[in-house]
Amino acid sequence: HFDREEQLLEQHDYADIVAHKAQHKQMIEQVERFMDLYNEKGHDALNEISVFLSNWLINHINGTDKEYSELLIEKGVK
């Protein structure tokens, strides 16, 4: 998902692409840490993981993703 989104943003000259890619990178790194946490604690880690993922997705989609949506709509991307 992130690769496709980043390609679209690059193709359409999104001004804040560097920061957006950095958010994706941080998310991937956090997921890797959660994988380690899950391997350590098993199901006891699931609540912490699900809370983080829910919050991140809501904030990312409603925040940064909305910032570029107007650009892509103007460029005719569907």
Side-chain angles (χ1 to χ4, degrees):
H1 168 81
F2 290 157
D3 287 340
R4 173 77 174 125
E5 182 177 293
E6 290 171 5
Q7 288 173 359
L8 277 172
L9 297 178
E10 287 175 349
Q11 289 170 357
H12 297 285
D13 300 318
Y14 179 59
D16 206 20
I17 184 70
V18 172
H20 201 81
K21 281 183 168 184
Q23 287 183 5
H24 289 169
K25 183 176 184 280
Q26 289 172 348
M27 170 58 159
I28 291 166
E29 290 168 353
Q30 181 61 50
V31 167
E32 290 170 353
R33 288 190 292 274
F34 279 139
M35 289 171 58
D36 292 339
L37 182 66
Y38 181 79
N39 288 333
E40 178 186 324
K41 294 184 174 183
H43 286 14
D44 290 338
L46 292 179
N47 187 53
E48 181 181 350
I49 294 168
S50 66
V51 167
F52 172 83
L53 292 175
S54 296
N55 289 334
W56 190 90
L57 288 170
I58 290 167
N59 291 328
H60 188 75
I61 292 168
N62 286 327
T64 56
D65 283 359
K66 280 191 176 183
E67 291 174 7
Y68 70 72
S69 63
E70 281 187 36
L71 170 71
L72 296 181
I73 290 168
E74 288 172 8
K75 302 278 185 164
V77 177
K78 297 182 181 193

